[in-house]
DNA sequence: GAGTTTGAAACT
DNA sequence: CAGTTTCAAACTC
């Protein structure tokens, strides 16, 4: 598995590859959160570990991930050896993870309602073992925040407490601490570690289990769907051979039938406690940078299923990040999401996961759990803040899942799924014919071979393919204060769109298409051609949406078959800057003189070049026609701007007057309109009149017409003044 | 808004 | 590759 190869990247437009404004943060969480491997000194304690509640860390050495949804936070960070950092909500004041390679262990201070943990151990196989030193408090249900740990050596983890005091549990499979026997420590094969955090809509639960257990437990899932995100990261340093850490985010899609809080199932040791319909098993996206195609060794996996949004309607807010703003969470809005994106901070690419919108409950059940602790069963939903920045736009009736993996520098970025490959826009299984033309894929496309199964990979298309998000609400987390707080939208805005600068592409709303016959699956459709979904278009029988994924994929493939560079921006960026932008193919205009928007060059505001095959071209530097057109266009634009500014100024001046204390010139208990004609208002009015005069002059209107226009404008100004005066009388009848 | 023009895309 | 058809945007009235 690899991200777009350097060779391929080199072929992409410069604006696509521009990364200068993207903050890479991957080193920071490692430094802050994870103990360095081997003999490196103990890293300094980071306030984040003690100040940010509900921390779960699970990151390879150079990775950092941050995730959140709704009001939950969890933080994840591992160093080489994939340390797992667990910090109960405000309970662990100092936590240092220990790996078998470094044998570095510090006893975390667990206070309050949690049993004391003597050690937190993360062997080389990424297992994390919390050993209690004190007997667990009685699970009498009176202490919802109390979590009873299993006997020493048992791998039930307390990840934190929810805001209501309910424990967040991580349950590790029994096999987790047996890497040597079950997975062969030191084996060169990648060894995926999966931590699953599971929540329901209202009552998320966190569990850790192997992949196989996840699948096996799916039968216990009822009346709900789970969307699972796996983030796979291959540690750069590992003494026990390549390992893969998978972070699986399971999102409940079905909100119906949400069980009562008391019925929320507890974490099951070694088992994912989820519910799902057999028809719609949890779906997984694996994000990582490993190229390993070694099938997942499920026996050693741990998974973290992250809950869906707890409160879809919860307003945007920022959580965590005390003091240093280590975490920033934008709580999603709207209905439970069925649009998910995977966004890589530091990358210009948006990776998408398409999921089927469903509704239903996400109640977790024990499903054979060995844990009968009622205190755990009453676990309240919590969120995670991991050292991963993740954004989940919540858009009703949309089907994109956006996730933001950690930023990477040179490391490959991979998005794969182990299930439901059709959920991605372009399954790699359809790519054999495309792969020879890798350069033809949309910029930012990531090819992800199957991870585990080996026969299902995906091509993740760049952000332009993910624009079926009318008003996304994001869950955004940043893992460090240095991480850019730019929203996913801002990141997306960096993407080049057909030669336009990213700011252009995003600031200017795309025109809705009006396709009637092409089903928006041919390049006639601008949306499709730009790699976007149709959104708020006027098209008829549109297939350029997530409801017609298969057709769309076929159409994409067909286009690429016809033209390998069909989805590459037509307007390429020249070597010396924007002035060298030119059409990649050139135009073929015959009648328009290349001075109308029929001409793609003119439309892109670039001049025709030698590669154009146009006839009677007037779109060249010295062309008087072109200069005239450009002058007129500029003048028109300036006029509009001036007029708008003048009117705005006039309005603001009048409004300002209303708020001021004005001379008590009254008549019949109210101000006379002329009392509002102050110097400022007069100036603004003159601006409007002058603007009108200029406009008349530019349009070469006869003097009589110009005078009439000016007088009309003056009349409008007077009416506004009078109107505001009347409003003032109405608004403040006492003082005025 | 309807009709026309235009040129890219698709097709042969 | 060239010619033709299809298509949707741009443009005109």
């Amino acid at each position: 598995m690899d991200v777009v190869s350097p060779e391929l990247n080199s072929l992409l437009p410069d604006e696509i590859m521009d990364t200068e404004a993207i903050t890479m943060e991957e080193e920071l969480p490692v430094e802050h959160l994870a103990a360095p491997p081997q003999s490196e000194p103990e890293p300094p304690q980071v306030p984040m570990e003690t100040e940010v509640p509900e921390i779960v860390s699970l990151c390879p050495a150079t990775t950092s991930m941050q995730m959140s949804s709704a009001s939950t936070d969890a933080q994840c960070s591992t160093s080489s050896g994939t340390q797992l950092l667990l910090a109960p909500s405000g309970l662990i004041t100092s936590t240092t993870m220990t790996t078998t390679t470094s044998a570095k262990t510090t006893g975390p201070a667990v206070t309050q309602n949690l049993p004391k943990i003597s050690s937190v151990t993360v062997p080389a196989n990424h297992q994390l073992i919390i050993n209690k030193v004190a007997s667990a408090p009685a699970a009498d249900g009176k202490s919802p925040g109390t979590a009873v740990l299993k006997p020493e050596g048992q791998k039930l983890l307390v990840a934190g407490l929810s805001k209501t005091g309910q424990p967040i549990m991580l349950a590790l499979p029994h096999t987790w601490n047996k890497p040597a026997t079950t997975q062969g420590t030191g084996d060169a094969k990648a060894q995926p570690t999966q931590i699953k955090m599971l929540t329901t809509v209202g009552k998320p639960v966190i569990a850790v289990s192997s992949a196989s257990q996840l699948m096996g437990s799916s039968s216990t899932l009822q009346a709900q769907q789970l969307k699972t995100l796996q983030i796979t990261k291959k540690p750069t340093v590992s003494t026990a051979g390549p390992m893969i850490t998978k972070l699986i985010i399971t999102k409940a899609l079905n909100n119906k039938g949400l069980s009562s809080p008391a019925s929320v199932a507890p974490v099951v040791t070694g088992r994912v406690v989820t519910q799902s319909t057999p028809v719609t098993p949890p779906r997984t996206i694996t994000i990582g940078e490993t190229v390993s195609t070694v099938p997942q060794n499920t026996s050693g996996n741990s998974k973290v299923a992250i809950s869906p949004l707890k409160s879809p309607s919860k307003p945007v807010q920022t959580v965590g990040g005390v003091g240093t703003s280590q975490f920033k969470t934008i709580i999603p809005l709207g209905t439970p999401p069925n649009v998910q994106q995977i966004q890589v901070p530091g990358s210009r690419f948006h990776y998408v996961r398409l999921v089927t919108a469903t509704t239903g409950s996400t109640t977790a059940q024990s499903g054979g759990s060995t844990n009968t602790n009622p205190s755990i069963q009453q676990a309240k939903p919590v969120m995670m803040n991991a050292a991963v920045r993740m954004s989940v736009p919540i858009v009703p009736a949309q089907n994109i899942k956006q996730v933001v993996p950690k930023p990477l520098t040179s490391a490959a970025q991979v998005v794969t799924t182990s299930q439901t490959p059709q959920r991605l826009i372009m399954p790699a299984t359809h790519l054999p014919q495309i792969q020879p033309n890798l350069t033809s894929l949309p910029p930012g496309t990531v090819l992800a071979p199957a991870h585990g199964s080996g026969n299902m990979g995906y091509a993740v298309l760049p952000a332009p393919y993910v624009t079926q998000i009318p008003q996304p609400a994001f869950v955004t987390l940043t893992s460090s204060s240095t991480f850019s707080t730019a929203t996913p939208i801002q990141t997306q805005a960096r993407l080049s769109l057909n030669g336009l600068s990213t700011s252009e592409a995003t600031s200017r709303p795309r025109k809705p298409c009006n396709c009637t016959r092409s089903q928006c699956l041919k390049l006639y459709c601008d949306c499709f051609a730009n790699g976007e979904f149709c959104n708020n278009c006027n098209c008829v029988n549109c297939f350029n949406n997530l409801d017609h994924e298969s057709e769309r994929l076929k159409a994409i493939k067909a286009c690429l078959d016809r033209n390998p560079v069909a989805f590459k921006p037509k307007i390429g960026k020249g070597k010396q800057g924007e002035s060298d932008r030119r059409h990649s193919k050139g135009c073929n205009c015959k009648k328009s003189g290349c001075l109308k928007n029929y001409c793609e060059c003119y439309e892109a505001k670039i001049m025709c070049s030698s590669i154009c095959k146009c006839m009677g071209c007037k779109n060249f530097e010295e062309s008087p026609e072109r200069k005239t057109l450009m002058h007129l266009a500029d003048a028109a634009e300036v006029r509009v701007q001036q007029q708008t500014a003048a009117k705005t100024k006039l309005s603001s001046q009048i409004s300002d007057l209303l708020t001021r204390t004005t001379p008590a010139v009254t008549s019949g208990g109210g101000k006379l309109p002329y009392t509002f004609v102050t110097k400022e208002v007069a100036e603004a009015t003159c601006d409007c009149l002058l603007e009108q005069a200029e406009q008349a002059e530019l349009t070469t209107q006869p003097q009589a017409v110009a005078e009439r226009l000016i007088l009309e404008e003056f009349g409008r100004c007077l009416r506004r003044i009078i109107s505001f005066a009347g409003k003032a009388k109405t608004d403040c009848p006492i003082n005025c």
Side-chain angles (χ1 to χ4, degrees):
Chain A
M1 179 55 210
D2 197 357
V3 177
V4 176
S5 65
E7 296 77 13
L8 177 55
N9 276 341
S10 66
L11 297 173
L12 297 176
D14 292 343
E15 55 268 45
I16 296 290
M17 304 309 301
D18 182 19
T19 62
E20 60 186 22
I22 298 174
T23 302
M24 296 298 181
E25 56 145 0
E26 63 179 359
E27 297 86 0
L28 292 173
V30 173
E31 297 171 0
H32 292 180
L33 295 175
Q38 301 300 330
S39 59
E40 294 184 14
E42 189 78 9
Q45 289 296 323
V46 177
M48 180 164 56
E49 295 184 1
T50 59
E51 298 174 0
V52 178
E54 300 162 4
I55 295 174
V56 173
S57 177
L58 174 65
C59 293
T62 59
T63 68
S64 65
M65 298 180 290
Q66 192 170 16
M67 304 171 292
S68 88
S69 61
S71 61
T72 65
D73 291 318
Q75 182 157 3
C76 161
S77 170
T78 63
S79 63
S80 64
T82 311
Q83 296 179 354
L84 184 63
L85 178 59
L86 302 179
S89 177
L91 299 179
I92 293 180
T93 57
S94 174
T95 301
T96 302
M97 310 311 297
T98 301
T99 66
T100 54
T101 57
S102 62
K104 189 181 300 178
T105 302
T106 345
V110 181
T111 61
Q112 296 182 10
N113 295 329
L114 285 178
K116 293 183 179 179
I117 299 173
S118 62
S119 64
V120 179
T121 304
V122 181
N125 66 340
H126 304 215
Q127 295 179 16
L128 186 149
I129 303 170
I130 296 177
N131 296 326
K132 69 172 184 178
V133 295
S135 60
D140 55 2
K142 295 180 180 178
S143 302
T146 299
V148 179
L149 292 180
K150 292 294 182 179
E152 180 170 336
Q154 197 159 344
K155 296 166 283 303
L156 176 61
L157 309 182
V158 179
L161 293 179
S162 67
K163 292 178 174 55
T164 58
Q166 298 289 351
I168 308 165
M169 301 306 298
L170 291 178
L172 306 184
H174 287 289
T175 58
W176 219 31
N177 61 347
K178 300 174 182 177
T181 58
T182 61
Q183 306 200 8
T185 302
D187 191 331
K189 294 181 178 179
Q191 181 175 330
T193 299
Q194 297 178 344
I195 293 180
K196 181 145 193 143
M197 299 184 64
L198 173 66
T199 65
T200 65
V201 170
K203 301 293 176 184
V205 182
I206 299 173
V208 180
S209 83
S210 66
S212 61
Q213 289 165 331
L214 170 63
M215 298 305 294
S217 65
S218 62
S219 61
T220 66
L221 307 179
Q222 300 174 2
Q224 64 174 299
Q225 276 188 308
L226 296 175
K227 292 187 287 187
T228 301
L229 170 68
Q230 285 186 344
I231 301 174
T232 302
K233 182 72 176 181
K234 180 180 179 180
T236 56
V237 178
S238 173
T239 58
M243 290 183 287
I244 299 173
T245 298
K246 289 187 176 181
L247 183 58
I248 302 174
I249 304 170
T250 299
K251 175 176 281 299
L253 297 178
N254 194 335
N255 298 326
K256 293 180 179 176
L258 183 64
S259 62
S260 63
S263 65
V264 173
V267 171
V268 180
T269 301
R271 176 175 295 220
V272 174
V273 191
T274 65
Q275 280 188 324
S276 176
T277 59
V279 180
T280 57
R283 298 163 186 160
T284 301
I285 290 178
T286 301
I287 303 170
E289 62 179 346
T290 178
V291 297
S292 171
T293 57
V294 176
Q296 299 177 14
N297 189 335
T298 56
S299 64
N301 289 344
S302 61
K303 295 183 178 179
V304 176
I306 295 179
S307 73
L309 301 176
K310 174 183 174 182
S311 178
S313 61
K314 188 170 183 176
V316 172
Q317 61 179 281
T318 299
V319 298
V322 178
T324 57
S325 299
Q326 297 282 349
F327 303 95
K328 179 182 180 181
T329 300
I330 300 174
I331 304 303
L333 304 171
T335 60
N338 46 17
V339 176
Q340 301 174 342
Q341 295 182 7
I342 301 170
Q343 187 181 32
V344 179
S347 168
R348 302 143 302 283
F349 306 144
H350 279 209
Y351 304 124
V352 290
R353 166 150 168 72
L354 310 181
V355 297
T356 301
T358 60
T359 57
S361 75
T362 58
T363 302
Q365 293 183 346
S366 59
S369 169
T370 59
N371 184 351
T372 58
N373 188 340
S375 66
I376 298 175
Q377 289 178 343
Q378 295 176 357
K380 296 284 186 176
V382 296
M383 289 299 193
M384 295 180 62
N385 248 350
V388 172
R389 175 188 172 96
M390 182 180 75
S391 296
V392 181
I394 310 306
V395 183
Q398 298 292 339
N399 293 318
I400 299 176
K401 180 170 186 175
Q402 186 177 59
V403 183
V404 183
K406 65 169 291 299
L408 299 173
T409 53
S410 60
Q413 301 170 7
V414 176
V415 174
T416 64
T417 73
S418 60
Q419 304 175 30
T420 61
Q422 73 280 6
R423 290 301 158 189
L424 283 183
I425 289 175
M426 185 183 288
T429 52
H430 293 192
L431 292 175
Q433 298 90 340
I434 302 173
Q435 285 171 338
N437 298 317
L438 284 177
T439 57
S440 65
L441 291 175
T445 298
V446 175
L447 298 179
H451 183 77
S453 60
N455 60 354
M456 284 297 182
Y458 302 91
V460 182
L461 304 186
Y465 276 84
V466 198
T467 55
Q468 195 174 13
I469 309 170
Q471 293 175 340
F474 289 96
V475 178
T476 302
L477 297 106
T478 56
S479 60
S480 74
S481 58
T482 59
F483 191 88
S484 171
T485 56
T487 65
I489 290 240
Q490 290 171 310
T491 303
Q492 182 173 351
R494 296 188 55 77
L495 292 165
S496 170
L497 188 59
N498 214 14
L500 294 174
S501 70
T502 55
S503 57
E504 283 180 276
T506 54
S507 62
R508 190 177 64 187
R510 179 182 58 79
K511 291 181 180 178
C513 73
N514 301 294
C515 307
T516 57
R517 296 169 174 263
S518 66
Q519 298 177 317
C520 298
L521 289 184
K522 294 193 174 181
L523 295 176
Y524 298 130
C525 175
D526 283 347
C527 304
F528 181 78
N530 286 328
E532 301 175 7
F533 290 105
C534 285
N535 180 33
N536 295 327
C537 294
N538 305 313
C539 40
V540 177
N541 195 22
C542 179
F543 276 41
N544 186 27
N545 51 51
L546 293 169
D547 292 335
H548 300 85
E549 263 185 83
S550 59
E551 292 89 345
R552 189 171 182 273
L553 291 173
K554 291 177 183 176
I556 292 172
K557 179 181 176 301
C559 288
L560 291 175
D561 285 343
R562 282 191 296 267
N563 178 17
V565 295
F567 293 100
K568 290 196 72 174
K570 290 181 179 178
I571 309 302
K573 186 178 181 181
K575 297 178 181 179
Q576 297 172 352
E578 198 169 275
S579 60
D580 287 337
R581 290 170 60 229
R582 71 172 191 174
H583 199 287
S584 60
K585 289 174 55 182
C587 66
N588 300 294
C589 304
K590 295 177 178 62
K591 297 181 179 179
S592 66
C594 299
L595 289 182
K596 291 189 176 181
N597 283 334
Y598 298 126
C599 175
E600 292 192 348
C601 298
Y602 181 81
E603 187 180 28
K605 294 181 173 59
I606 59 176
M607 284 171 286
C608 291
S609 64
S610 59
I611 61 174
C612 293
K613 305 175 188 65
C614 44
M615 299 169 60
C617 179
K618 298 173 182 176
N619 184 26
F620 54 94
E621 182 68 41
E622 295 80 12
S623 168
E625 292 89 345
R626 174 183 165 277
K627 289 181 178 178
T628 301
L629 272 177
M630 299 303 283
H631 174 73
L632 290 175
D634 291 342
E637 187 174 354
V638 169
R639 277 203 308 274
V640 170
Q641 291 176 353
Q642 288 179 342
Q643 200 160 15
T644 302
K647 289 181 178 178
T648 302
K649 181 180 178 181
L650 176 61
S651 297
S652 64
Q653 295 288 357
I654 295 175
S655 298
D656 185 47
L657 284 174
L658 297 177
T659 61
R660 288 188 197 174
T661 301
T662 55
V665 180
T666 60
S667 174
K671 293 178 183 173
L672 293 174
Y674 66 81
T675 62
F676 290 86
V677 185
T678 63
K679 180 183 176 183
E680 293 84 359
V681 171
E683 288 178 351
T685 303
C686 289
D687 287 342
C688 291
L689 301 182
L690 287 172
E691 175 58 29
Q692 195 66 47
E694 291 176 5
Q695 186 173 357
E697 184 178 354
L698 283 171
T699 55
T700 64
Q701 299 287 346
Q703 183 176 355
V705 175
E707 290 174 353
R708 182 170 60 84
L709 291 174
I710 294 171
L711 287 174
E712 288 175 350
E713 178 67 21
F714 183 61
R716 286 193 290 270
C717 292
L718 286 179
R719 280 195 295 271
R720 298 179 96 178
I721 295 172
I722 294 171
S723 174
F724 275 101
K727 182 180 178 181
K729 290 172 65 176
T730 302
D731 291 345
C732 48
I734 298 176
N735 297 331
C736 301

